[in-house]
Amino acid sequence: MVRNATYERDWGPLDPECDCYTCKNYTRAYIRHLIKANEILGVRLLSIHNLRFLTNLMERVKIEIERDNLGTFKEEFYKKYGYIK
């Protein structure tokens, strides 16, 4: 995604809803630059974001299981991230 030329001048965070270090401190354009330049910092920043995303997801899954609402959450998640055909 970040390699796409669309993000060359995108000054927003990777994910506006994310609270990770990467999203709070770096733009899509800068991360794209790092990745295109094969800078290890780009991979690190993406890893930080991805780990936080997965941690948040698992926390939310736990909550939805406790609420007996996992099926509805799954459908909302799939819809948001484009998995429903």
Side-chain angles (χ1 to χ4, degrees):
M1 166 184 131
V2 176
R3 288 182 175 266
N4 192 321
T6 306
Y7 302 109
E8 186 173 11
R9 297 187 194 282
D10 187 336
W11 310 118
L14 282 176
D15 181 353
E17 298 176 14
C18 184
D19 65 348
C20 76
Y21 175 80
T22 300
C23 290
K24 286 182 179 180
N25 295 289
Y26 297 94
T27 66
R28 289 178 185 157
Y30 182 62
I31 295 169
R32 179 186 183 276
H33 159 74
L34 292 172
I35 296 298
K36 296 290 279 185
N38 291 320
E39 291 287 339
I40 193 69
L41 179 60
V43 176
R44 283 184 177 224
L45 292 173
L46 289 175
S47 294
I48 289 167
H49 170 72
N50 289 339
L51 288 171
R52 184 64 184 144
F53 178 85
L54 291 173
T55 301
N56 285 341
L57 176 60
M58 291 301 106
E59 289 171 0
R60 180 77 189 276
V61 165
K62 179 182 174 188
I63 290 167
E64 297 303 335
I65 288 171
E66 290 170 351
R67 292 179 179 168
D68 196 28
N69 192 37
L70 188 59
T72 303
F73 172 72
K74 180 186 101 172
E75 295 302 319
E76 290 170 1
F77 181 86
Y78 281 4
K79 190 174 184 179
K80 181 176 182 180
Y81 290 99
Y83 292 113
I84 292 184
K85 297 175 185 172

